[in-house]
Structures are given as C-alpha cells and as structure tokens.
C-alpha cells in the first residue's frame, strides 16, 4: 500500500487562544508556531497512518484568503476545540470560539528566509541571530506574509516573514539548514555618514578663521591677550565716508614686547557707471548672446581656425597720410622748437622764450658799435675821478689788486742763439775723438 495523502485529514473545530488553557502561561506556546489539538485528532491521524511530524494548514472558513501553517505540540485540548497562539489568531482574523478549518499538508524544507523586525528596539539585541535560532525551535513551519512573535528578556518582538525559499505557501523549518537574513526594521533611519576630516593646514594648526570678515582675523595675537586678537566679532567697521575697513586692523606685539595696533586700510567700492557705458565692471560682465548678435551690434567674432593652423595676429598696415588735393598749396608740418617756452629764474624774474635758431650774421657796415665803458667817471661829489692804470669795476670804481711780493727774482733772458735743448748754464763736454 502507498503512503496516505496528508490532505485526507480535514476537520472543523472551534478556535481559542492559548490564554484559555488551564494553568500558567507558557512562553513556548504563546510565542511559537504550534497548536494544541484534542485527543480525537491524534486517533484520527494514527488511523490515517500519516507520516510525522505532522503539519497543518489553518484557514478561516468565512475568509478563505486568511490562512497559515502550523505544527502540533500536544493533544490535550477539549473535544472539538483547538488552541492557537494569539499572533496566529490575528493572522486568521479569528475571535474566541470562531470556527476554523484544519487540513493536513506536506511542506518542503526551507533553505532561506528573510525577516523584518517591526520595531527598532530589535536592534538593541546584541546577538539577534542567536536569539532567533533559539526562538525558531518553537516553530515547525513559516508562511510568507505572516507576522510572527518572539519573546526575549520579557519583551515581545514582531517579525514579518518577507521572503521564503523555496517559494510557495510555506516552508518547514524542522531538521534543515536554514539561512536567515534581516531587513532594516520598520522606522529605522540610516545614520548620516560622518564627513571625511579636512586635511590639516597651517590655518587649522594656528586656529585661524578663514571665513571671518572682521579686520585682522588672520593675525595671531599675543599670549597675554588670551587667544587671538583678530577673532571674528560679527561686525564690520565703517569709516566716515562709508569705506570698509577690512584689513590690517588687528592688535599684536613687536619682537621687543611693545604693543601695536594696525590703522587699517580703506577699501572703496567701485563707482557705478551709467547704463550703456563702454566701461565694463568686473561684477557686471558683458555676455555676448544670440540676442546681441541679432541686434546688429559690433561684437568680436569667434576665432575658429582649421586643424593644424596657428594664429599669430593680424597684419598691421602702415599709416599713409591722405594725398593733397590738386591746386592746394603744399604745407609742411613744422616741428616744435625746443627751449621756446617762458619761465622764471631762481630770483623770481620772468624770462621770455628764446629761439634756438642760429642768428644770421649782419654785414660789418650795419653792425652797431658795442657800448664800452670809459676809464674815467664822476664821483658822488661831481668831481672827475683820476685815471687809473688798474682795472675798473662797476660805476668806475677801482678794482682791488692782489699784492705782489717784493723779493721776486728777475726772469732770465734767453740767449738769441739757437736752442739745442740745453740751458746756458749747463756745461757741455765735447769729445775730440
């Protein structure tokens, strides 16, 4: 005889939660995947000679879409009654005493299951795989889409069965090598990754605030001032004329220990130019667009050269003055004369411009005699001054003469004879040979 079909067991019973069982609550029953059946169910399964362990498909007769799979733990329930875990009652949408259909089934051994915790508190478990391995010992089957419940340290965690392999209605987790994967819990937010540390620079070593706009922020202060004298204060100093004082405004000390303070440098804003001016400011760049080209304005064209050709500038045409009209007198440009301007002397007397052209010589008969000073004159008393052989100064005054020494040696007169390169006083030896 062949094996009996597990689906041959098909019974209807009343469903109650495990809380209706007499005695204390058992965690392996409340937080597991097995049910409690009456003794008559054991006799029926034995009569059908079904191979154990037995697995069942549980369905809600009033809602065929609600179904799950479970195993059996004990046969101690009352006749016609079956006790289910509370999470299984919620999955089948059953209330206490509602009818339930129980059908035998055979499930394939599972190879892979993916679970998702329904609370971020599940991440606080130090070793979730070890906890799950211990909790799955109370389960004999898992169904895709169910939310099972496990207990750990008096806390209840819900786990959604997202995926099972092999796929289908459900898998058996008894005597099998099951691979478990966890998805991110519901409500979990990925923490922001820390930004990479900025490279160490000299500014970071000296604790200089490069983004500060206060004057003197880049100058380290002395050790006596406590930190840096140029730390940012969030304020901008203005001068009387509205100039911004931005640099060289900090305090410090010289190498000799004397305290100093910068006077600052004013930076004036660029003057605004009227619209349509040819002056282009840095903040107002002139952009050549298609609209500019369509208006007919003269804009420089793009320099598009073929491949392999270089551009070294345009040929410069030398300037040629326009030709003079026929019949008009030719005019030659006169070059400016140097040293022809007027000016003042050091004493304040004004001078007239003088021409640098050479003077033309006049004939001798046309030349006028130059004025000469006489040798005689008149004194203040209207008496004629005596003539003097010495030189005269301005107004006929006698010029002083340099006194001469009395012991002046007489000058020797030279001999009228030819000079042969010797003096008269020298003795000349003549050799007769």
């Amino acid at each position: 005889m062949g094996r009996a079909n597990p689906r041959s067991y098909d019974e209807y019973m009343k469903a109650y939660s495990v809380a209706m069982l007499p005695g204390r609550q058992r965690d392996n029953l409340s937080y597991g995947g097995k049910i409690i059946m009456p003794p008559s169910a054991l006799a029926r399964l034995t009569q059908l000679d079904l191979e154990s362990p037995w697995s069942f498909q549980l369905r809600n007769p009033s809602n065929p879409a609600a179904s799950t799979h479970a195993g059996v733990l004990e046969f101690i329930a009352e006749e016609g009654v079956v006790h289910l875990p509370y999470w299984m009652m919620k999955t089948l949408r059953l209330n206490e005493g509602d009818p339930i259909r129980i059908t035998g089934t055979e499930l394939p051994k599972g190879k892979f299951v993916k679970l998702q915790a329904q609370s971020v508190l599940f991440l606080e478990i130090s070793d979730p795989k070890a906890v799950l391995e211990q909790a799955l010992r109370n389960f004999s089957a898992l169904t895709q889409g169910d939310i099972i419940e496990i207990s750990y340290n008096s806390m209840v965690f819900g786990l959604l069965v997202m995926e099972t392999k092999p796929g289908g209605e459900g898998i058996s987790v008894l005597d099998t090598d099951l691979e478990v994967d966890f998805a991110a819990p519901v409500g979990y937010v990925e923490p922001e990754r820390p930004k990479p540390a900025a490279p160490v620079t000299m500014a970071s070593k000296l604790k200089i605030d490069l983004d500060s706009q206060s004057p003197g922020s880049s100058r380290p202060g002395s050790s006596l001032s406590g930190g840096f004298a140029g730390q940012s204060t969030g304020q901008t100093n203005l001068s009387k004329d509205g100039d911004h004082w931005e640099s060289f405004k900090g305090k410090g000390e010289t190498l000799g220990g004397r305290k100093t303070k910068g006077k600052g440098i004013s930076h004036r804003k660029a003057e605004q130019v009227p619209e349509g001016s040819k002056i282009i400011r840095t903040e107002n760049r002139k952009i050549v667009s298609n609209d500019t080209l369509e208006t007919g304005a003269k804009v420089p064209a793009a320099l598009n050269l073929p491949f392999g050709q270089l551009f070294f500038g345009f040929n410069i045409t030398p300037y040629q003055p326009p030709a003079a009209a026929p019949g008009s007198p030719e005019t030659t440009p006169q070059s400016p004369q140097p040293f022809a301007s007027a000016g003042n002397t050091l004493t304040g007397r004004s001078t007239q411009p003088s021409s640098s052209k050479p003077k033309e010589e006049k004939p001798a008969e046309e030349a006028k005699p130059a004025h000469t000073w006489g040798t005689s004159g008149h004194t203040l008393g209207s008496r004629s001054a005596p003539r003097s052989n010495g030189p005269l100064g301005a107004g006929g005054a006698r010029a002083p003469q340099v006194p001469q020494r009395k012991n002046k040696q007489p000058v020797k007169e030279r001999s009228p004879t030819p000079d042969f390169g010797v003096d008269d006083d020298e003795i000349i030896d003549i050799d007769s040979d």
Side-chain angles (χ1 to χ4, degrees):
M1 297 179 61
R3 293 179 54 186
N5 188 2
R7 293 187 175 275
S8 58
Y9 180 83
D10 192 358
E11 298 288 342
Y12 286 87
M13 298 182 184
K14 291 184 179 181
Y16 289 93
S17 63
V18 294
M20 303 300 295
L21 282 174
R24 61 183 182 87
Q25 182 180 357
R26 295 186 293 177
D27 290 344
N28 62 337
L29 184 59
S30 300
Y31 305 105
K34 298 179 181 180
I35 61 178
I36 302 296
M37 300 180 69
S40 59
L42 176 59
R44 179 63 178 169
L45 293 172
T46 305
Q47 181 182 2
L48 295 176
D49 194 16
L50 297 179
E51 185 178 1
S52 60
W54 297 305
S55 298
F56 304 94
Q57 181 182 14
L58 309 180
R59 289 175 290 181
N60 186 354
S62 60
N63 188 2
S67 65
T68 186
H69 297 83
V72 59
L73 181 62
E74 295 177 354
F75 296 92
I76 58 174
E78 298 179 1
E79 292 297 332
V81 176
V82 61
H83 293 276
L84 287 70
Y86 182 68
W87 68 266
M88 199 174 292
M89 295 282 291
K90 293 189 297 182
T91 301
L92 297 175
R93 300 175 180 86
L94 294 175
N95 297 322
E96 301 289 342
D98 289 349
I100 183 175
R101 183 180 180 181
I102 303 175
T103 306
T105 183
E106 184 177 2
L107 298 175
K109 294 185 177 297
K111 301 297 181 181
F112 172 81
V113 63
K114 186 175 182 179
L115 305 176
Q116 182 187 29
Q118 300 300 297
S119 174
V120 294
L121 298 178
F122 187 76
L123 297 176
E124 298 181 1
I125 300 177
S126 59
D127 192 356
K129 289 191 176 182
V131 173
L132 185 62
E133 181 181 356
Q134 180 67 25
L136 287 180
R137 294 180 180 179
N138 301 325
F139 290 82
S140 59
L142 293 175
T143 305
Q144 183 174 348
D146 288 355
I147 299 179
I148 63 177
E149 291 182 353
I150 62 174
S151 176
Y152 176 74
N153 284 348
S154 301
M155 296 182 65
V156 180
F157 299 97
L159 300 175
L160 171 63
V161 182
M162 299 182 64
E163 183 181 357
T164 58
K165 291 182 181 180
E169 296 181 355
I171 58 174
S172 174
V173 296
L174 297 175
D175 301 330
T176 181
D177 187 7
L178 184 65
E179 180 182 358
V180 181
D181 187 17
F182 290 94
V186 176
Y188 174 75
V189 179
E190 188 74 18
E192 296 182 0
R193 295 183 179 180
K195 297 181 179 180
V200 180
T201 59
M202 186 61 66
S204 61
K205 290 182 179 180
L206 297 178
K207 298 180 181 180
I208 298 175
D209 187 7
L210 299 179
D211 298 332
S212 174
Q213 296 182 357
S214 62
S217 61
S218 60
R219 294 185 60 187
S222 64
S223 59
L224 301 177
S225 59
F228 295 97
Q231 293 181 353
S232 176
T233 58
Q235 298 180 358
T236 303
N237 298 329
L238 299 177
S239 64
K240 297 181 180 179
D241 299 334
D243 303 331
H244 292 275
W245 298 83
E246 298 179 351
S247 56
F248 302 102
K249 194 69 175 180
K251 302 178 181 179
E253 290 185 1
T254 62
L255 296 178
R258 184 173 58 86
K259 295 183 179 181
T260 60
K261 180 180 179 182
K263 297 181 180 179
I265 296 179
S266 61
H267 303 273
R268 296 183 178 274
K269 296 182 180 180
E271 297 180 0
Q272 299 294 334
V273 295
E275 185 177 359
S277 175
K278 295 184 178 180
I279 300 177
I280 302 176
R281 295 296 186 191
T282 305
E283 64 272 9
N284 300 327
R285 298 184 181 274
K286 186 175 182 179
I287 301 176
V288 179
S289 60
N290 293 333
D291 299 336
T292 308
L293 297 177
E294 291 177 357
T295 55
K298 295 182 180 180
V299 295
L303 185 61
N304 298 324
L305 299 178
F307 179 77
Q309 182 177 354
L310 302 178
F311 177 75
F312 295 99
F314 299 97
N315 296 328
I316 300 177
T317 304
Y319 173 74
Q320 296 181 358
S328 61
E330 297 182 358
T331 58
T332 57
Q334 297 181 358
S335 60
Q337 298 179 1
F339 306 103
S341 59
N344 295 329
T345 61
L346 296 178
T347 58
R349 183 170 56 87
S350 60
T351 60
Q352 297 297 330
S354 60
S355 176
S356 62
K357 293 183 179 180
K359 296 182 179 180
E360 298 180 356
E361 295 183 358
K362 295 183 179 180
E365 60 275 4
E366 296 180 1
K368 295 182 180 179
H371 178 76
T372 56
W373 295 93
T375 57
S376 62
H378 296 277
T379 62
L380 296 177
S382 302
R383 291 183 302 175
S384 60
R387 293 188 179 182
S388 175
N389 296 329
L392 299 178
R398 182 179 181 183
Q401 297 182 0
V402 179
Q404 298 181 357
R405 296 181 180 180
K406 297 181 179 181
N407 56 352
K408 185 177 180 181
Q409 297 180 1
V411 180
K412 294 182 180 181
E413 297 182 359
R414 295 191 61 83
S415 174
T417 59
D419 188 3
F420 295 97
V422 296
D423 295 336
D424 296 340
D425 298 338
E426 294 182 0
I427 300 174
I428 303 176
D429 294 337
I430 301 175
D431 190 3
S432 60
D433 295 335

